[in-house]
Amino acid sequence: MLGFRGCRLGISYPEIARMQARAIFEAACRAKEEGSDPKPDIMVPLVGTVAELEDQVLLIRETAKDVFEEMKTSVDYRVGTMIEIPRAALLSDEIANTLNFSVLERTI
């Protein structure tokens, strides 16, 4: 049991995940205005099911759209996850269809 952490916290309290995504997108847009070329990679933590991931990916994409409209600019970004738990490893083929990238964590 991983408890009440990672994406489950963002699902139960979407305002937390939305605030974190908003901070990333606002900072990236400001950096772009200052001449940088930011390309954030946003990772959804401790995914155990495709439904959990889809919920958070939708929230992130909606937040990006809102920020880009407000700031009248946009940046390229990717949404991914780290395959951290056994259940995610077993569902990795389904998880991969939802994402732009994923990382397999190896424990030594």
Side-chain angles (χ1 to χ4, degrees):
M1 176 71 179
L2 291 170
F4 197 55
R5 301 184 298 161
C7 66
R8 282 167 295 292
L9 184 63
I11 291 167
S12 296
Y13 296 98
E15 62 273 16
I16 294 173
R18 195 172 291 111
M19 176 267 306
Q20 292 174 326
R22 175 172 280 280
I24 292 168
F25 291 123
E26 286 180 356
C29 288
R30 285 191 186 105
K32 182 179 178 180
E33 290 171 354
E34 294 173 2
S36 295
D37 187 24
K39 292 182 172 98
D41 285 342
I42 300 174
M43 293 186 72
V44 179
L46 295 170
V47 168
T49 68
V50 174
E52 290 176 338
L53 179 61
E54 288 174 340
D55 177 87
Q56 293 298 281
V57 169
L58 179 62
L59 181 143
I60 291 165
R61 294 196 190 290
E62 288 173 348
T63 303
K65 183 177 179 261
D66 292 344
V67 171
F68 297 161
E69 287 175 3
E70 291 168 16
M71 298 189 77
K72 296 181 179 29
T73 190
S74 65
V75 296
D76 293 332
Y77 68 94
R78 299 185 309 170
V79 179
T81 190
M82 183 180 291
I83 306 299
E84 300 172 272
I85 59 176
R87 182 178 182 137
L90 294 172
L91 297 174
S92 61
D93 59 330
E94 296 173 38
I95 288 171
N97 290 326
T98 307
L99 300 173
N100 300 119
F101 72 99
S102 60
V103 177
L104 177 62
E105 181 178 81
R106 296 182 185 189
T107 305
I108 297 174

